[in-house]
Amino acid sequence: MIRDLHEKLLNGEVSAIELVQKHLKTIDEKDKELNAFLTVTRDIALKQASKIDEKIKKGEKIDLLAGLPCALKDNICLNGTKTTASSKILENYVAPYDATVSERIKDAGAVILGKTNLDEFACGGSTETSAFGPSKNPIDTSRVPGGSSGGSVVSVASDEVVWALGTDTGGSVRQPSSFCGTVGLKPTYGRVSRYGIIAMGSSLDQVGPITKTVEDAAIVLSRIAGRDEMDATSAKSSDKPYEDYCVGDIKGAKIGVPSEYLGEGLDESVKEVFMNAVEKYKELGATIVDVKLPHTEYALATYYIIMPAELSSNLARFDGIRYSKVEGVEPETVLDQYLETRGKGFGPEVKRRIMLGTYILSAGYYDAYYKKAQKVRSLIKKDFENVFEKVDYIFTPTSPELAFKFGDKTDDPLKMYLSDIYTVTANLAGVPAISIPIGTVEVDGKNLPVGGQLMGKWFDEEGILNAGHTFEINS
Ligand code: GLN
């Protein structure tokens, strides 16, 4: 997709301005219903597009991303633009600087059409916790798009933009991609700078591309990855662009399929599509190996201790004094200011996690919960180290189920958390993971997408991108 559009721009078949206008029109037509966008940055987009057209006219070299419409999840700072994290507490917050990823894609000439909806502070798996209403799954609007990067995924799946960025702390790029039929990549922890991202769980968060094809994900990753002095956890990237590794051949690769990801709770129809995909990999010349990740059963519990602990401390900064003011808060004392701002500004799911996190980190319980969870996290990581001595990639379903209906899980947080069961492990271990479309299941006359997840060794984005690409071009 990206390459084709780039060619069209270069040979004059379409101009960047025309491309933006076409996508803005699609947003006008579809977004009232889909609610993917919280802010549309029409003027910024048109200005950037005309700059790119100028460059093309002058015969200057342009990047693959130049002139192509994209969107950013609304927890990624974009200078001069509202960045709300879908929370009332940041309803009026205008970011005074660019996140490193925003800066990098702007430098590449990308045309940002706006900021997309998410679960509040990225806490959720359906966009139903957004303070500004949920986004809808374009394939069946009675169903959720998944979350938390639901808006970004919907904007790509419904052709409002060519690609988008999301963030993934426990599956938020991959699970909605699986529900809407897009490609979603969570890079290795450290691969992409987190500077300017509204932090959720700082030891888990990564920014990742959401695209229509695996090669497109590679192209976007090449532009956002690499060392950034503003994020001490960021790592140097290779000089060779990731798209150059998408060669379309995986003969001789060893792919591990862990039985822990195929047990209880996995929807039968998802399992069938997944097993067909495993067969496909065999046909493509890969060797399938049964592997064991024995600590998987503790992963969800571990995630739901570490994440709220980190979230509660990250969200402590929202006090009504810095950032933005919550409407209707007129306090008499500083304490009232805190209490009223946080009481009115945060939604119920975020409050639940703040309370859990605060409890987990409190003096008497720290060892029993947080420290223990960190120990289990090491065991989960060790599982991956062991398996990656035997295989190159691990292949699993992305989510145990298909996109579910609105309201199906809103009164039972545990049910909602179970949706993350196959994705949280990659965040806990820090490994890269990509969700690719592997088939569909017909329900109520709609073809609901199924995603397959490829996990790779630390910093082996090249490997999983090529494995995903090879599947894609052969199906
Ligand atoms: N659904 C998961 C959660 O609610 C993952 C969120 C995320 O990756 N941001 O925590």
Side-chain angles (χ1 to χ4, degrees), residues 102-410:
S102 306
E103 191 180 285
R104 290 189 178 173
I105 62 168
K106 276 191 195 168
D107 288 348
V111 176
I112 300 167
L113 294 202
K115 308 294 297 293
T116 57
N117 196 17
L118 62 147
D119 281 288
E120 185 179 1
F121 284 105
C123 294
S126 67
T127 68
E128 286 165 293
T129 72
S130 166
F132 309 116
S135 302
K136 291 188 179 161
N137 191 316
I139 294 138
D140 176 349
T141 50
S142 70
R143 292 176 189 272
V144 303
S148 66
S149 311
S152 282
V153 168
V154 172
S155 72
V156 174
S158 63
D159 295 316
E160 293 175 326
V161 291
V162 177
W163 62 273
L165 289 183
T167 60
D168 190 313
T169 303
S172 278
V173 161
R174 291 161 287 155
Q175 181 254 27
S177 286
S178 156
F179 284 8
C180 297
T182 58
V183 172
L185 170 69
K186 181 207 86 76
T188 309
Y189 184 79
R191 177 52 91 209
V192 178
S193 168
R194 291 177 292 111
Y195 179 69
I197 308 303
I198 298 178
M200 181 183 175
S202 303
S203 75
L204 304 157
D205 297 342
Q206 269 294 289
V207 179
I210 294 155
T211 54
K212 281 274 176 75
T213 71
V214 177
E215 194 198 27
D216 284 0
I219 292 172
V220 175
L221 181 66
S222 301
R223 274 76 195 164
I224 59 172
R227 173 79 187 150
D228 171 21
E229 63 174 27
M230 302 305 281
D231 175 0
T233 62
S234 63
K236 197 174 168 295
S237 211
S238 86
D239 294 332
K240 186 166 152 181
Y242 292 99
E243 55 272 27
D244 290 2
Y245 293 93
C246 293
V247 291
D249 181 5
I250 50 147
K251 277 188 208 79
K254 289 201 187 102
I255 300 182
V257 176
S259 51
E260 292 84 359
Y261 287 65
L262 299 173
E264 204 196 327
L266 173 59
D267 183 300
E268 275 305 317
S269 63
V270 173
K271 186 169 179 181
E272 200 183 314
V273 172
F274 175 74
M275 293 319 290
N276 288 339
V278 171
E279 282 307 310
K280 181 98 209 170
Y281 269 121
K282 275 190 204 159
E283 280 167 33
L284 293 170
T287 308
I288 304 297
V289 184
D290 287 332
V291 293
K292 291 255 165 297
L293 293 161
H295 295 94
T296 302
E297 64 174 302
Y298 307 112
L300 203 60
T302 307
Y303 171 79
Y304 276 97
I305 294 208
I306 292 174
M307 175 274 297
E310 295 182 3
L311 179 82
S312 68
S313 45
N314 276 324
L315 297 193
R317 65 179 67 120
F318 300 109
D319 53 11
I321 294 167
R322 295 163 291 175
Y323 308 102
S324 74
K325 199 170 165 311
V326 173
E327 264 150 54
V329 173
E330 299 297 340
E332 284 182 4
T333 65
V334 173
L335 184 62
D336 284 349
Q337 167 107 25
Y338 295 162
L339 296 176
E340 280 186 42
T341 299
R342 293 171 69 83
K344 291 200 171 115
F346 288 131
E349 179 60 26
V350 170
K351 280 184 189 157
R352 174 172 17 251
R353 295 186 189 203
I354 291 174
M355 285 189 278
L356 276 171
T358 309
Y359 181 81
I360 288 161
L361 292 177
S362 59
Y365 295 100
Y366 183 91
D367 284 0
Y369 294 109
Y370 190 70
K371 208 163 158 196
K372 184 105 168 235
Q374 290 292 18
K375 286 183 181 166
V376 181
R377 183 179 190 172
S378 301
L379 295 173
I380 291 168
K381 192 163 171 244
K382 193 89 196 108
D383 281 355
F384 279 90
E385 281 167 7
N386 292 339
V387 167
F388 282 132
E389 278 177 15
K390 297 186 208 98
V391 300
D392 305 299
Y393 314 114
I394 296 171
F395 189 43
T396 75
T398 305
S399 169
E401 59 198 348
L402 301 164
F404 46 88
K405 297 240 179 193
F406 285 102
D408 265 8
K409 299 177 196 272
T410 38

